[in-house]
Amino acid sequence: MRESELRNLLDDLSVEEKVGQLFQLSGSFLVDNAVITGSWDNQELSEQELAVTGSVLSISGAGEIKRIQEECMSRQPHHIPALFMLDIINGYHTIFPISLAQGATFEPELAQRGAEIAAKEGAAAGLHVTFSPMADLVRDARWGRVMESTGEDPYLNSCFSAAMVRGYQGNDVREKGRLAACVKHFAGYGAPEGGRDYDNVELSERTLREAYLPAYEAAIKAGAKLVMTSFNSLNGIPASANKKLMRNVLRQEMNFDGVLISDYDAVGELLNHGIAEDGKAAAKLAIEAGVDIEMVSQHYLRHMSELMERGEVPVELLDQAVWRVLKLKNSLGLFENPYKDADEEAEKQIVLCREHREMARETARKSFVLLENKEEILPLRAETGKKIAFIGPYADSQEICGSWSFPPKDSGVVSIKKGMMEKNPAAAMCFHEGCYILRQDWCLKNGEQLVFNEDKAKHLMAEAVNAARGADTVVLCLGEHYQQSGEGASRTVLQIPEEQKKLLREVTKVNSNIVTLVFTGRPLELEEEANLSKAVMIVWFPGTESGGAIADVLLGEKEPGGRLPMSFPYRAAQMPLYYNRFRTGRPSEDGAIGSFRTGYVDQVDKALYPFGSGIGYTRFQYGSIWITRQVLTGGQPILAFCMVTNVGKRAGTETVQLYLADLHASVIRPVRQLRGFQKITLAPGESCEVVFEIREEMLRFWDSEMNYVSEPGQCMVFIGHDSTAENSAQFVLE
Ligand code: GLC
């Protein structure tokens, strides 16, 4: 529709119709199989309110959406099509590794291709918008939603959030196979006090801008059509009522002119926050802050007309919000084709097709992070006769898609057993559950009670220990329950569940050739596992093709490609834990225990496994760094060269990382910051000269007056394997 026609449509709308465009109905009101993603769901709607509804949450399926779209348009007085939105976070039905795993690939292009596939499947299933990318920076593994992020680094997160937007939206969301992206949760949701979900966030302006805002801004610069408000308050004001954050920072500074949607009932939660006495006050605060669509709660629906009539809210605010919603619908081409890509036949062909599964499998392999590989026990040598015992609750489980995955029942998620049997049917392998994943005292967040039978537990353990005794190698398949991470899943104990640690201890008493695979949505304490195993590999929650990807890597056809996007601690008590921390006046030497130094007297103050770490099946050597000039000036970048050699026995891929450190500035600066990475693949003995550009803007920060500047002085460049790399060179910023 031409903009002039759209403007005429807006002018034609009644206040009730305008308000309806700003209301998002929970799909559970219309169908029984809608995913419920929020706590509040007591929707009561009049026929008139239902008739003017502008968008629907959490319904999918081409046939279902076409039917509901037809109903919506027939009821809507101007027959305006509804928007259909869903959390397509780890893919639609072809489930990819969780976002934290995708961050571990250090390959944004891979996440872009994954987002393209998710969009193709979601669009064929009738959807228009996905609530992704989640661009929240995270530093505290107690928070369950770290699994949805791409980690603790602003630069890495920015690369991924922009890539995902490009993948979902392409050059034009009207095109077939494209979805509008909604970047979330604006802002600072990843920094709740104590790692407790939904808790308050207190961030200095500098930390907010330097660490937490960049990835949202990168997604917006990449063209994200929507932004979602976060549940948390930021420095005392809940996001959905935070004018400064939404109108000054988001709209003016970041130049965002798309749709701002609240999180699920976040407008209603302004009453719980205590900053709105009633629904009318909540609606006023939210529309003044710039929230366009209210998700599920109905305060706009119930109070906006009255606020308009009484002149308590200027009608312009309503019109501006409705205009943005109508423009979004128009950009999707819904006025010409309200069903967009919804096509039952195409859905059958596209969803879970071989090509998509292959992509999911490749992404999974590249996300696995091998932390230990003593005696090069991996890859497994599956010589004939050598017995491999796969032991643990994940040895043959299909519950290996992360939170926010909604794979259909028949999607054929590939377990480790299935993957291994398909790849190596002749191998002497056995598979034993070994123990329950959790004891019954764990009530999962969906209220599911786990059954626990003491006798069965004893039998499982005895059987597994017996199998371990007779095996040449044991592959322990352990980890969190997938519902122990995700929304509403903050934990104080960051460990593999105790039942499984018992299994680990019993099995390692009878066999020392242990490979431990860890399914997890977050960093965990893994010192005991590392001491009792020869190999430890983080597989996260790999999705539909888990078993195939794990088989590819265990048997050596491919190597594990991941590097940690979050620091793994010795202890949960170290949280928040992140590599790019500010300097202090009493730095400890490499975190060593020492009184009167920054750190602890009972724990080394560093990560057990640092950001950026992980190994493959070969080894790399770094030469010294050579830089083209010792002085960096504003206009002219410095080039930094470093020779990297594969000194191992097989080809492999290394993620070469570039860090910069500003040694002196008017405010304290991080000990180092990731400013570049390159993945190189080298044959045995092959060398490659990796080149990075160092530009003045990489050294900018917010000074004491909150100006975004760089300052002259000594700097260091590090090029190496991870965030502890010592390979460095000095230069001066003029
Ligand atoms: C949830 C989540 C948000 C999600 C929304 C819609 O509560 O916080 O990430 O997109 O509701 O399902």
Side-chain angles (χ1 to χ4, degrees):
M1 188 186 282
R2 285 196 312 276
E3 196 149 299
S4 56
E5 293 172 298
L6 204 63
R7 186 57 75 181
N8 293 338
L9 173 60
L10 175 62
D11 295 343
D12 264 0
L13 297 181
S14 66
V15 172
E16 286 67 30
E17 285 186 88
K18 290 178 181 178
V19 174
Q21 287 301 302
L22 307 187
F23 170 59
Q24 179 162 95
L25 178 67
S26 166
S28 59
F29 189 83
L30 300 170
V31 297
D32 298 334
N33 62 349
V35 173
I36 305 291
T37 58
S39 53
W40 186 90
D41 211 30
N42 56 345
Q43 297 203 307
E44 285 153 15
L45 286 175
S46 67
E47 273 307 309
Q48 293 79 352
E49 288 168 336
L50 187 57
V52 295
T53 295
S55 65
V56 180
L57 168 65
S58 293
I59 286 180
S60 63
E64 188 91 281
I65 285 186
K66 282 162 76 173
R67 177 181 66 77
I68 292 172
Q69 182 69 297
E70 209 158 325
E71 282 174 13
C72 288
M73 291 176 70
S74 65
R75 284 194 295 253
Q76 212 287 336
H78 282 78
H79 310 302
I80 298 172
L83 284 165
F84 290 86
M85 307 191 190
L86 177 72
D87 293 281
I88 300 179
I89 311 294
N90 316 318
Y92 175 61
H93 282 179
T94 301
I95 304 302
F96 278 68
I98 57 174
S99 298
L100 193 57
Q102 297 204 31
T105 67
F106 276 69
E107 215 170 303
E109 312 72 40
L110 213 50
Q112 180 168 334
R113 283 161 50 197
E116 277 166 9
I117 286 170
K120 278 182 190 154
E121 295 195 358
L127 289 149
H128 306 142
V129 175
T130 177
F131 295 125
S132 174
M134 187 270 217
D136 301 317
L137 181 113
V138 291
R139 292 173 159 174
D140 191 328
R142 293 173 294 180
W143 191 52
R145 299 191 78 166
V146 300
M147 53 74 59
E148 278 179 80
S149 79
T150 48
E152 69 190 49
D153 184 79
Y155 174 73
L156 186 69
N157 291 352
S158 300
C159 295
F160 274 93
S161 63
M164 288 178 182
V165 169
R166 290 192 294 268
Y168 291 126
Q169 299 190 163
N171 297 320
D172 180 350
V173 290
R174 190 187 301 262
E175 284 169 2
K176 211 169 183 54
R178 297 299 183 182
L179 293 174
C182 176
V183 59
K184 66 188 184 184
H185 305 79
F186 200 74
Y189 182 35
E193 193 169 278
R196 295 180 297 271
D197 208 348
Y198 319 114
D199 211 325
N200 296 308
V201 172
E202 294 283 335
L203 291 171
S204 72
E205 184 80 9
R206 176 173 301 106
T207 298
L208 173 69
R209 289 178 177 282
E210 281 189 10
Y212 289 86
L213 292 185
Y216 305 119
E217 185 162 24
I220 290 163
K221 281 188 175 148
K225 292 284 184 184
L226 298 93
V227 170
M228 182 186 293
T229 68
S230 56
F231 287 122
N232 57 282
S233 66
L234 178 60
N235 300 330
I237 302 175
S240 300
N242 198 318
K243 266 179 165 172
K244 179 172 176 250
L245 184 63
M246 299 305 170
R247 291 198 179 277
N248 301 358
V249 177
L250 178 64
R251 294 273 185 213
Q252 286 167 20
E253 285 183 38
M254 294 188 181
N255 199 21
F256 175 66
D257 65 355
V259 169
L260 179 61
I261 184 169
S262 79
D263 201 338
Y264 196 109
D265 184 29
V267 172
E269 290 180 4
L270 297 178
L271 281 73
N272 300 337
H273 282 285
I275 67 152
E277 282 183 18
D278 55 29
K280 190 169 80 161
K284 184 172 186 297
L285 286 169
I287 194 80
E288 287 174 346
V291 174
D292 297 322
I293 295 179
E294 179 181 8
M295 185 190 289
V296 174
S297 47
Q298 298 157 347
H299 304 295
Y300 279 19
L301 212 51
R302 295 284 141 76
H303 304 290
M304 198 59 75
S305 302
E306 184 191 348
L307 288 165
M308 295 289 138
E309 279 150 28
R310 292 184 168 189
E312 292 180 47
V313 170
V315 72
E316 292 72 32
L317 288 192
L318 177 65
D319 285 352
Q320 288 161 11
V322 177
W323 177 245
R324 288 188 282 261
V325 173
L326 293 178
K327 276 205 305 180
L328 174 59
K329 294 184 177 183
N330 201 33
S331 70
L332 285 156
L334 296 183
F335 289 103
E336 289 74 32
N337 172 11
Y339 308 112
K340 199 168 182 297
D341 295 11
D343 178 327
E344 293 91 323
E345 274 318 301
E347 188 178 5
K348 285 197 194 91
Q349 299 303 318
I350 292 171
V351 169
L352 281 161
C353 66
R354 171 58 39 209
E355 180 203 342
H356 293 179
R357 297 182 78 125
E358 279 308 319
M359 196 61 230
R361 185 167 176 156
E362 176 187 351
T363 306
R365 290 193 299 260
K366 291 183 170 180
S367 74
F368 298 158
V369 184
L370 183 58
L371 298 174
E372 301 284 355
N373 194 19
K374 299 164 210 161
E375 300 168 29
E376 296 193 338
I377 188 172
L378 286 180
L380 297 177
R381 285 131 191 104
E383 293 91 329
T384 47
K386 288 281 185 193
K387 287 185 186 163
I388 308 170
F390 289 82
I391 293 173
Y394 280 111
D396 188 20
S397 166
Q398 289 184 291
E399 293 215 325
I400 43 187
C401 300
S403 188
W404 292 107
S405 304
F406 312 109
K409 287 273 175 287
D410 58 354
S411 66
V413 173
V414 181
S415 70
I416 291 178
K417 179 176 180 180
K418 187 166 188 289
M420 288 302 296
M421 296 298 280
E422 278 176 357
K423 197 167 187 77
N424 202 10
M429 297 182 286
C430 60
F431 299 83
H432 297 275
E433 192 177 348
C435 69
Y436 285 85
I437 197 165
L438 284 170
R439 280 189 79 88
Q440 72 199 65
D441 49 5
W442 259 95
C443 172
L444 297 172
K445 61 184 177 181
N446 67 359
E448 179 191 341
Q449 277 292 345
L450 291 163
V451 175
F452 187 92
N453 175 304
E454 206 66 60
D455 291 342
K456 181 182 175 188
K458 288 194 178 79
H459 171 71
L460 289 175
M461 180 75 78
E463 199 184 50
V465 169
N466 193 40
R469 190 177 286 114
D472 296 286
T473 305
V474 173
V475 179
L476 283 171
C477 311
L478 311 175
E480 287 187 311
H481 189 286
Y482 80 91
Q483 288 194 42
Q484 286 186 285
S485 60
E487 184 176 351
S490 293
R491 294 179 68 192
T492 58
V493 174
L494 301 184
Q495 293 178 359
I496 285 173
E498 191 51 32
E499 284 306 296
Q500 298 179 50
K501 286 175 89 69
K502 277 187 219 160
L503 176 66
L504 165 77
R505 293 169 197 135
E506 290 310 309
V507 163
T508 51
K509 284 175 188 168
V510 299
N511 195 311
S512 61
N513 287 330
I514 304 291
V515 173
T516 297
L517 304 180
V518 182
F519 288 77
T520 184
R522 58 161 43 94
L524 296 173
E525 298 170 7
L526 293 174
E527 206 173 5
E528 181 180 21
E529 289 75 6
N531 292 338
L532 294 176
S533 310
K534 286 186 178 169
V536 177
M537 184 159 76
I538 307 297
V539 296
W540 312 105
F541 284 103
T544 303
E545 287 295 327
S546 297
I550 288 172
D552 294 343
V553 168
L554 286 183
L555 295 171
E557 180 190 316
K558 301 286 183 182
E559 64 173 350
R563 301 290 184 268
L564 291 182
M566 274 189 89
S567 307
F568 273 50
Y570 284 89
R571 301 281 174 276
Q574 291 179 263
M575 293 298 149
L577 178 69
Y578 48 100
Y579 84 92
N580 44 2
R581 61 200 294 191
F582 286 123
R583 279 197 200 85
T584 73
R586 293 198 176 195
S588 56
E589 288 309 313
D590 189 25
I593 291 178
S595 52
F596 305 109
R597 311 301 303 173
T598 303
Y600 311 97
V601 291
D602 62 353
Q603 173 60 51
V604 288
D605 176 26
K606 63 178 186 176
L608 175 59
Y609 297 109
F611 173 86
S613 61
I615 51 180
Y617 289 155
T618 187
R619 288 174 297 109
F620 294 92
Q621 207 158 57
Y622 284 74
S624 53
I625 299 172
W626 179 74
I627 52 179
T628 47
R629 292 197 328 280
Q630 302 304 318
V631 178
L632 175 62
T633 53
Q636 189 65 17
I638 288 179
L639 296 182
F641 295 83
C642 184
M643 189 65 78
V644 183
T645 304
N646 177 348
V647 294
K649 297 192 273 305
R650 63 176 272 172
T653 300
E654 172 70 335
T655 302
V656 181
Q657 299 162 39
L658 170 82
Y659 295 87
L660 295 183
D662 187 350
L663 301 184
H664 309 102
S666 56
V667 294
I668 53 173
R669 305 298 305 130
V671 293
R672 65 174 75 185
Q673 293 173 286
L674 181 74
R675 282 292 180 263
F677 50 87
Q678 293 180 36
K679 293 187 82 161
I680 57 171
T681 299
L682 298 176
E686 185 184 4
S687 295
C688 161
E689 187 165 61
V690 179
V691 187
F692 287 103
E693 256 198 12
I694 300 174
R695 300 184 306 280
E696 172 268 333
E697 58 265 29
M698 293 177 175
L699 289 155
R700 287 184 192 165
F701 59 92
W702 300 87
D703 71 8
S704 53
E705 302 307 314
M706 289 311 289
N707 303 306
Y708 192 53
V709 297
S710 61
E711 292 177 355
Q714 283 285 351
C715 300
M716 287 186 79
V717 50
F718 301 88
I719 296 177
H721 174 74
D722 64 34
S723 57
T724 64
E726 294 179 355
N727 191 28
S728 65
Q730 292 227 3
F731 64 93
V732 173
L733 174 62
E734 234 179 16

